Amino acid sequence: MHRGRVVFGAMDEVVFGHPAAEAVAGQMDRLGASRAFLMVSGTLHRTTQEIAKIRDRLGNRCVEIFDAMPPHTPREAVIAAAAQARGCNADLIVTVGGGSITDGAKAVQLCLANNIRRIEEVDKIRVHNGTAPAMAAPVVRQISVPTTIAGGEFSAIAGVTNSATRVKEMLRHALVIPRAAILDPAVTVHTPQWLWLSTGIRAVDHCVEGLCSREAHPYADAQAVRGLAMLAQALPRVKADPGDLDARMDCQIGTWLSMGPLSAGVPMGASHGIGYVLGAVHDVPHGYTSCVMLPAVMRWNKADNAERQALVASAMGHPGEDAAGVLDGFIRGLGLPRSLAEVKVVPEHFDRIAAQAMATPWIPRNPRRIDGPAQVREILLLAA
């Protein structure tokens, strides 16, 4: 008998296929907001007209723009953005960009609500030993226009990197999830292809680890299977024709579905756990961590969850085949890295990675039990 609990999040709406500028203005009208603080991609801001379109459509309702969020969302940038949002008395944060910006705005929400003004004070709001501390709920919320497809706009958690320790730390609160996500494929054509495709594998990773979890359930499975099928079909179409907006829309909807397991309480596994460390310590882009780790994790886990892995191969159009092999071939076909060596992580780094991975929230939830760093190292060797 299935047992579990699904908690529906605090996102109000998902708007898809409508121009971003019009949709952002519509959301401000709906929410009664009058002072939007834009947190946006610096490249998008400086080299395209996409941010100008939103700014112009909002007029004097756009009070300031922050465009200096580095990859992996360092604490320093979060504090700087929060200070700017506080100074302009923002009543809504609007993000336009990738996952680091989306997560940065979630962190800014908590900084504003809890008077976090210094880098070290982020300790007061981060998750400790799997538990989020008591804190004031965000009042200034966010809406998000994603330009990559890792899916962070559909979650109530954020990853923020402590630059001093090179550790990616989790922040979590039910109300940091955006009030609305706006999926406009036209805005995403400026995203570098390697980034679009690799964050697409991050979305694939969400589907796969959700399906393969010991804690999977039918509600989450339905979303993960459909999302994985859409991503498996659409990502190669975008690689073949970067201007194919229908394919980009399918990728975005597949990504939305990919977050179904996580938002329904199904944990991720070792690919995500190791990926946290690769990003924080070795500056490996999020999508690339999934490209190099997911097939290796699947191979290592297969002894314990072959039946669930069969669902992955089938959803990707290869029923009866080995899921790790299917994923390996799919990622290679997109021209993405498939080994740790390709992202400049070598065996001499493995002991530290393995030790740090044990402290992430996902390693203890991996479907095949991981008792210590030595087993994480086995997975790293498979990905070497």
Side-chain angles (χ1 to χ4, degrees), residues 136 156 203 216 242 368:
R368 179 179 170 188

Side-chain angles (χ1 to χ4, degrees), residues 164-167 277 280-282 347-358 377 380:
T165 61
R166 302 288 287 179
V167 172
V277 181
V281 178
H282 295 283
E348 67 191 60
H349 300 136
F350 288 1
D351 287 343
R352 180 183 177 186
I353 294 168
Q356 281 194 219
M358 291 301 299
R377 203 174 194 286
L380 293 169

Side-chain angles (χ1 to χ4, degrees), residues 22-384:
E22 297 303 315
V24 169
Q27 289 298 315
M28 289 196 71
D29 293 340
R30 179 180 73 83
L31 298 169
S34 61
R35 299 183 63 79
F37 176 61
L38 271 59
M39 290 181 62
V40 305
S41 157
T43 302
L44 209 61
H45 188 198
R46 291 185 287 272
T47 64
T48 79
Q49 291 300 306
E50 301 298 345
I51 306 305
K53 290 176 188 176
I54 295 172
R55 182 195 62 214
D56 293 347
R57 179 63 180 80
L58 297 183
N60 61 12
R61 293 193 293 177
C62 173
V63 290
E64 287 205 31
I65 297 176
F66 177 89
D67 70 355
M69 182 61 68
H72 307 296
T73 319
R75 284 186 177 196
E76 293 84 349
V78 168
I79 294 298
Q84 191 173 337
R86 189 181 293 114
C88 68
N89 197 28
D91 63 4
L92 182 70
I93 303 170
V94 178
T95 68
V96 187
S100 295
I101 293 164
T102 304
D103 276 9
K106 294 176 188 177
V108 167
Q109 291 184 63
L110 292 176
C111 288
L112 294 176
N114 293 276
N115 197 30
I116 303 300
R117 295 172 181 265
R118 299 195 305 273
I119 293 168
E120 62 273 16
E121 290 178 335
V122 176
D123 280 335
K124 297 177 182 179
I125 57 173
R126 71 176 179 88
V127 170
H128 297 265
N129 298 320
T131 302
M135 66 184 97
V139 175
V140 180
R141 301 280 301 280
Q142 81 186 73
I143 62 175
S144 291
V145 182
T147 59
T148 58
I149 46 175
E153 60 277 4
F154 296 108
S155 85
I157 60 176
V160 174
T161 299
N162 184 331
S163 301
T165 61
R166 302 288 287 179
V167 172
K168 191 160 195 179
E169 300 163 337
M170 181 184 288
L171 280 60
R172 184 174 69 228
H173 191 286
L175 295 184
V176 298
I177 192 170
R179 294 287 302 268
I182 296 165
L183 308 181
D184 177 7
V187 176
T188 75
V189 298
H190 309 286
T191 302
Q193 190 176 67
W194 72 267
L195 183 57
W196 180 265
L197 296 176
S198 65
T199 55
I201 299 302
R202 189 68 168 176
V204 166
D205 200 348
H206 289 134
C207 293
V208 170
E209 292 215 305
L211 281 169
C212 291
S213 172
R214 290 190 305 265
E215 301 169 56
H217 52 74
Y219 178 80
D221 287 352
Q223 296 172 83
V225 167
R226 178 61 172 154
L228 184 54
M230 291 187 75
L231 289 160
Q233 294 167 12
L235 285 166
R237 288 160 55 205
V238 175
K239 179 174 173 57
D241 178 7
D244 186 341
L245 295 187
D246 287 335
R248 287 179 176 272
M249 184 83 269
D250 284 352
C251 286
Q252 290 185 302
I253 292 175
T255 297
W256 175 15
L257 291 168
S258 81
M259 294 300 290
L262 193 58
S263 62
V266 178
M268 300 292 98
S271 179
H272 277 73
I274 295 169
Y276 270 28
V277 181
L278 294 177
V281 178
H282 295 283
D283 206 29
V284 180
H286 290 161
Y288 278 3
T289 69
S290 292
C291 292
V292 300
M293 291 312 309
L294 182 58
V297 169
M298 293 288 279
R299 289 192 178 98
W300 195 82
N301 284 342
K302 188 174 181 180
D304 281 30
N305 67 352
E307 184 176 332
R308 300 298 296 182
Q309 293 199 17
L311 297 176
V312 171
S314 182
M316 296 185 72
H318 296 271
E321 296 185 29
D322 173 64
V326 171
L327 286 162
D328 186 19
F330 183 75
I331 296 165
R332 289 181 189 278
L334 294 176
L336 297 169
R338 272 295 303 114
S339 70
L340 287 166
E342 289 176 79
V343 294
K344 298 181 171 55
V345 177
V346 296
E348 67 191 60
H349 300 136
F350 288 1
D351 287 343
R352 180 183 177 186
I353 294 168
Q356 281 194 219
M358 291 301 299
T360 68
W362 303 132
I363 291 293
R365 312 287 284 276
N366 189 63
R368 179 179 170 188
R369 183 170 169 171
I370 296 175
D371 292 313
Q375 290 168 305
V376 178
R377 203 174 194 286
E378 291 174 10
I379 300 172
L380 293 169
L381 287 169
L382 290 173

